[in-house]
mmCIF file of all heavy atoms in Angstrom:
data_model
loop_
_atom_site.group_PDB
_atom_site.id
_atom_site.type_symbol
_atom_site.label_atom_id
_atom_site.label_comp_id
_atom_site.label_asym_id
_atom_site.label_seq_id
_atom_site.Cartn_x
_atom_site.Cartn_y
_atom_site.Cartn_z
ATOM 1 N N VAL A 91 -12.364 41.679 10.818
ATOM 2 C CA VAL A 91 -12.258 42.923 10.043
ATOM 3 C C VAL A 91 -12.138 44.140 10.971
ATOM 4 O O VAL A 91 -11.223 44.953 10.852
ATOM 5 C CB VAL A 91 -13.499 43.047 9.124
ATOM 6 C CG1 VAL A 91 -13.539 44.395 8.451
ATOM 7 C CG2 VAL A 91 -13.516 41.924 8.100
ATOM 8 N N SER A 129 -10.030 35.695 0.103
ATOM 9 C CA SER A 129 -11.403 36.122 0.402
ATOM 10 C C SER A 129 -11.941 37.028 -0.699
ATOM 11 O O SER A 129 -11.193 37.795 -1.308
ATOM 12 C CB SER A 129 -11.403 36.883 1.736
ATOM 13 O OG SER A 129 -12.632 37.546 1.916
ATOM 14 N N THR A 131 -13.361 39.518 -0.234
ATOM 15 C CA THR A 131 -13.209 40.890 0.245
ATOM 16 C C THR A 131 -12.232 41.674 -0.619
ATOM 17 O O THR A 131 -12.267 42.896 -0.670
ATOM 18 C CB THR A 131 -12.795 40.875 1.729
ATOM 19 O OG1 THR A 131 -13.123 42.118 2.322
ATOM 20 C CG2 THR A 131 -11.346 40.575 1.920
ATOM 21 N N TYR A 154 -7.303 43.879 7.383
ATOM 22 C CA TYR A 154 -7.532 42.440 7.191
ATOM 23 C C TYR A 154 -7.617 42.158 5.686
ATOM 24 O O TYR A 154 -6.880 41.309 5.164
ATOM 25 C CB TYR A 154 -8.811 41.962 7.884
ATOM 26 C CG TYR A 154 -9.305 40.669 7.305
ATOM 27 C CD1 TYR A 154 -8.681 39.472 7.610
ATOM 28 C CD2 TYR A 154 -10.353 40.660 6.392
ATOM 29 C CE1 TYR A 154 -9.099 38.286 7.037
ATOM 30 C CE2 TYR A 154 -10.778 39.480 5.810
ATOM 31 C CZ TYR A 154 -10.146 38.303 6.137
ATOM 32 O OH TYR A 154 -10.549 37.128 5.537
ATOM 33 N N PHE A 183 -16.310 33.149 -0.484
ATOM 34 C CA PHE A 183 -17.378 34.108 -0.248
ATOM 35 C C PHE A 183 -17.803 33.945 1.210
ATOM 36 O O PHE A 183 -16.925 34.087 2.091
ATOM 37 C CB PHE A 183 -18.443 33.946 -1.353
ATOM 38 C CG PHE A 183 -17.958 34.639 -2.610
ATOM 39 C CD1 PHE A 183 -16.872 34.144 -3.329
ATOM 40 C CD2 PHE A 183 -18.514 35.837 -3.013
ATOM 41 C CE1 PHE A 183 -16.383 34.814 -4.455
ATOM 42 C CE2 PHE A 183 -18.034 36.514 -4.142
ATOM 43 C CZ PHE A 183 -16.961 35.997 -4.856
ATOM 44 N N ASN A 184 -19.031 33.636 1.543
ATOM 45 C CA ASN A 184 -19.395 33.617 2.969
ATOM 46 C C ASN A 184 -19.649 32.206 3.487
ATOM 47 O O ASN A 184 -20.734 31.683 3.289
ATOM 48 C CB ASN A 184 -20.613 34.510 3.190
ATOM 49 C CG ASN A 184 -20.264 35.975 3.004
ATOM 50 O OD1 ASN A 184 -19.793 36.389 1.937
ATOM 51 N ND2 ASN A 184 -20.463 36.780 4.044
ATOM 52 N N PRO A 185 -18.669 31.616 4.171
ATOM 53 C CA PRO A 185 -18.839 30.246 4.659
ATOM 54 C C PRO A 185 -19.855 30.174 5.798
ATOM 55 O O PRO A 185 -19.842 31.054 6.689
ATOM 56 C CB PRO A 185 -17.446 29.878 5.173
ATOM 57 C CG PRO A 185 -16.527 30.957 4.725
ATOM 58 C CD PRO A 185 -17.349 32.160 4.505
ATOM 59 N N GLN A 203 -19.133 38.358 14.767
ATOM 60 C CA GLN A 203 -19.215 39.430 13.769
ATOM 61 C C GLN A 203 -20.123 39.012 12.617
ATOM 62 O O GLN A 203 -20.763 39.824 11.993
ATOM 63 C CB GLN A 203 -17.806 39.699 13.189
ATOM 64 C CG GLN A 203 -16.831 40.250 14.208
ATOM 65 C CD GLN A 203 -17.372 41.493 14.889
ATOM 66 O OE1 GLN A 203 -17.727 42.466 14.237
ATOM 67 N NE2 GLN A 203 -17.501 41.458 16.198
ATOM 68 N N ASN A 204 -20.124 37.684 12.344
ATOM 69 C CA ASN A 204 -20.798 37.219 11.124
ATOM 70 C C ASN A 204 -22.279 36.938 11.368
ATOM 71 O O ASN A 204 -22.698 36.610 12.481
ATOM 72 C CB ASN A 204 -20.107 35.958 10.577
ATOM 73 C CG ASN A 204 -18.663 36.245 10.125
ATOM 74 O OD1 ASN A 204 -17.731 35.610 10.549
ATOM 75 N ND2 ASN A 204 -18.492 37.255 9.272
ATOM 76 N N LEU A 205 -23.032 37.029 10.285
ATOM 77 C CA LEU A 205 -24.491 36.957 10.362
ATOM 78 C C LEU A 205 -25.010 35.651 10.939
ATOM 79 O O LEU A 205 -25.789 35.661 11.904
ATOM 80 C CB LEU A 205 -25.092 37.172 8.962
ATOM 81 C CG LEU A 205 -26.611 37.052 8.870
ATOM 82 C CD1 LEU A 205 -27.285 38.160 9.671
ATOM 83 C CD2 LEU A 205 -27.075 37.096 7.402
ATOM 84 N N PHE A 208 -24.495 34.879 14.612
ATOM 85 C CA PHE A 208 -25.256 35.817 15.434
ATOM 86 C C PHE A 208 -26.731 35.398 15.462
ATOM 87 O O PHE A 208 -27.398 35.442 16.509
ATOM 88 C CB PHE A 208 -25.116 37.266 14.935
ATOM 89 C CG PHE A 208 -25.332 38.274 16.030
ATOM 90 C CD1 PHE A 208 -24.260 38.983 16.567
ATOM 91 C CD2 PHE A 208 -26.601 38.476 16.578
ATOM 92 C CE1 PHE A 208 -24.461 39.883 17.626
ATOM 93 C CE2 PHE A 208 -26.796 39.364 17.623
ATOM 94 C CZ PHE A 208 -25.730 40.070 18.148
ATOM 95 N N LEU A 220 -31.046 40.146 16.953
ATOM 96 C CA LEU A 220 -30.147 40.391 15.826
ATOM 97 C C LEU A 220 -30.389 41.807 15.314
ATOM 98 O O LEU A 220 -31.538 42.219 15.142
ATOM 99 C CB LEU A 220 -30.428 39.395 14.693
ATOM 100 C CG LEU A 220 -29.729 39.708 13.364
ATOM 101 C CD1 LEU A 220 -28.237 39.318 13.416
ATOM 102 C CD2 LEU A 220 -30.400 39.004 12.192
ATOM 103 N N SER A 221 -29.324 42.549 15.117
ATOM 104 C CA SER A 221 -29.447 43.852 14.445
ATOM 105 C C SER A 221 -29.197 43.632 12.963
ATOM 106 O O SER A 221 -28.141 43.091 12.596
ATOM 107 C CB SER A 221 -28.391 44.832 14.977
ATOM 108 O OG SER A 221 -28.570 45.039 16.351
ATOM 109 N N VAL A 222 -30.149 44.021 12.156
ATOM 110 C CA VAL A 222 -29.953 43.932 10.706
ATOM 111 C C VAL A 222 -29.384 45.265 10.247
ATOM 112 O O VAL A 222 -30.039 46.309 10.409
ATOM 113 C CB VAL A 222 -31.284 43.625 9.983
ATOM 114 C CG1 VAL A 222 -31.103 43.704 8.465
ATOM 115 C CG2 VAL A 222 -31.795 42.241 10.395
ATOM 116 N N PHE A 223 -28.167 45.231 9.728
ATOM 117 C CA PHE A 223 -27.449 46.471 9.441
ATOM 118 C C PHE A 223 -27.931 47.111 8.133
ATOM 119 O O PHE A 223 -27.250 47.089 7.123
ATOM 120 C CB PHE A 223 -25.935 46.211 9.367
ATOM 121 C CG PHE A 223 -25.340 45.707 10.650
ATOM 122 C CD1 PHE A 223 -24.437 44.649 10.644
ATOM 123 C CD2 PHE A 223 -25.678 46.274 11.872
ATOM 124 C CE1 PHE A 223 -23.875 44.164 11.836
ATOM 125 C CE2 PHE A 223 -25.129 45.795 13.063
ATOM 126 C CZ PHE A 223 -24.228 44.743 13.047
ATOM 127 N N CYS A 234 -28.460 43.736 2.366
ATOM 128 C CA CYS A 234 -27.278 43.338 1.568
ATOM 129 C C CYS A 234 -27.381 41.898 1.089
ATOM 130 O O CYS A 234 -27.999 41.065 1.745
ATOM 131 C CB CYS A 234 -26.018 43.463 2.418
ATOM 132 S SG CYS A 234 -25.598 45.122 2.885
ATOM 133 N N ARG A 236 -25.228 38.473 -0.211
ATOM 134 C CA ARG A 236 -23.961 37.761 -0.147
ATOM 135 C C ARG A 236 -24.130 36.362 -0.732
ATOM 136 O O ARG A 236 -25.254 35.937 -1.019
ATOM 137 C CB ARG A 236 -23.504 37.632 1.335
ATOM 138 C CG ARG A 236 -23.220 38.946 2.024
ATOM 139 C CD ARG A 236 -21.961 39.586 1.497
ATOM 140 N NE ARG A 236 -21.599 40.788 2.252
ATOM 141 C CZ ARG A 236 -22.074 42.015 2.009
ATOM 142 N NH1 ARG A 236 -22.946 42.183 1.016
ATOM 143 N NH2 ARG A 236 -21.666 43.044 2.731
ATOM 144 N N TYR A 238 -23.658 32.749 0.363
ATOM 145 C CA TYR A 238 -23.432 31.911 1.560
ATOM 146 C C TYR A 238 -23.169 30.479 1.123
ATOM 147 O O TYR A 238 -24.051 29.814 0.584
ATOM 148 C CB TYR A 238 -24.646 31.991 2.493
ATOM 149 C CG TYR A 238 -24.862 33.394 3.040
ATOM 150 C CD1 TYR A 238 -25.770 34.273 2.452
ATOM 151 C CD2 TYR A 238 -24.109 33.862 4.106
ATOM 152 C CE1 TYR A 238 -25.930 35.567 2.916
ATOM 153 C CE2 TYR A 238 -24.264 35.165 4.598
ATOM 154 C CZ TYR A 238 -25.169 36.006 3.988
ATOM 155 O OH TYR A 238 -25.327 37.296 4.455
ATOM 156 N N VAL A 277 -29.898 39.355 3.538
ATOM 157 C CA VAL A 277 -29.926 39.126 4.995
ATOM 158 C C VAL A 277 -31.310 38.632 5.416
ATOM 159 O O VAL A 277 -31.443 37.654 6.153
ATOM 160 C CB VAL A 277 -29.554 40.418 5.742
ATOM 161 C CG1 VAL A 277 -29.684 40.229 7.246
ATOM 162 C CG2 VAL A 277 -28.137 40.859 5.381
ATOM 163 N N ARG A 300 -23.806 49.124 8.519
ATOM 164 C CA ARG A 300 -22.490 48.892 9.126
ATOM 165 C C ARG A 300 -21.443 49.450 8.169
ATOM 166 O O ARG A 300 -21.412 49.071 6.985
ATOM 167 C CB ARG A 300 -22.266 47.394 9.353
ATOM 168 C CG ARG A 300 -20.926 47.024 9.924
ATOM 169 C CD ARG A 300 -20.837 45.559 10.304
ATOM 170 N NE ARG A 300 -20.817 44.698 9.114
ATOM 171 C CZ ARG A 300 -20.621 43.374 9.177
ATOM 172 N NH1 ARG A 300 -20.460 42.758 10.329
ATOM 173 N NH2 ARG A 300 -20.597 42.659 8.077
ATOM 174 N N ASP A 303 -19.604 47.759 4.745
ATOM 175 C CA ASP A 303 -20.372 46.706 4.062
ATOM 176 C C ASP A 303 -20.558 47.046 2.589
ATOM 177 O O ASP A 303 -20.893 48.191 2.268
ATOM 178 C CB ASP A 303 -21.750 46.547 4.706
ATOM 179 C CG ASP A 303 -21.713 45.607 5.890
ATOM 180 O OD1 ASP A 303 -20.759 44.802 5.989
ATOM 181 O OD2 ASP A 303 -22.610 45.677 6.737
HETATM 182 C C1 WQD B 1 -23.000 39.403 6.050
HETATM 183 C C2 WQD B 1 -24.197 40.332 5.928
HETATM 184 C C3 WQD B 1 -23.971 42.364 7.150
HETATM 185 C C4 WQD B 1 -24.006 40.579 11.132
HETATM 186 C C5 WQD B 1 -17.033 38.925 6.255
HETATM 187 C C6 WQD B 1 -15.620 39.243 5.879
HETATM 188 C C7 WQD B 1 -15.169 38.304 4.791
HETATM 189 C C8 WQD B 1 -15.373 36.886 5.245
HETATM 190 C C9 WQD B 1 -16.834 36.642 5.590
HETATM 191 C C10 WQD B 1 -13.326 36.201 6.303
HETATM 192 C C11 WQD B 1 -23.784 41.783 5.769
HETATM 193 C C12 WQD B 1 -25.114 41.516 7.698
HETATM 194 C C13 WQD B 1 -24.029 40.727 9.756
HETATM 195 C C14 WQD B 1 -25.081 41.116 11.915
HETATM 196 C C15 WQD B 1 -26.120 41.902 9.919
HETATM 197 N N1 WQD B 1 -14.588 36.605 6.390
HETATM 198 N N2 WQD B 1 -25.078 41.376 9.169
HETATM 199 N N3 WQD B 1 -26.103 41.759 11.270
HETATM 200 O O1 WQD B 1 -19.183 41.124 6.029
HETATM 201 O O2 WQD B 1 -20.045 39.706 4.084
HETATM 202 O O3 WQD B 1 -17.872 39.136 5.146
HETATM 203 O O4 WQD B 1 -17.158 37.575 6.651
HETATM 204 O O5 WQD B 1 -12.697 35.894 5.328
HETATM 205 O O6 WQD B 1 -13.807 38.555 4.555
HETATM 206 O O7 WQD B 1 -15.582 40.552 5.352
HETATM 207 O O8 WQD B 1 -19.987 38.742 6.395
HETATM 208 O O9 WQD B 1 -21.488 37.708 8.074
HETATM 209 O O10 WQD B 1 -20.273 39.873 8.678
HETATM 210 O O11 WQD B 1 -22.138 39.946 7.049
HETATM 211 O O12 WQD B 1 -27.061 42.507 9.363
HETATM 212 O O13 WQD B 1 -25.105 41.013 13.181
HETATM 213 O O14 WQD B 1 -24.958 40.250 7.132
HETATM 214 O O15 WQD B 1 -24.360 43.733 7.114
HETATM 215 O O16 WQD B 1 -24.711 42.419 4.903
HETATM 216 P P1 WQD B 1 -19.326 39.799 5.375
HETATM 217 P P2 WQD B 1 -20.949 39.039 7.638
#
Side-chain angles (χ1 to χ4, degrees):
V91 172
S129 168
T131 202
Y154 160 76
F183 281 68
N184 291 58
Q203 295 306 304
N204 296 126
L205 177 65
F208 206 107
L220 169 77
S221 299
V222 173
F223 298 136
C234 294
R236 297 289 186 274
Y238 296 97
V277 176
R300 178 172 70 174
D303 274 340

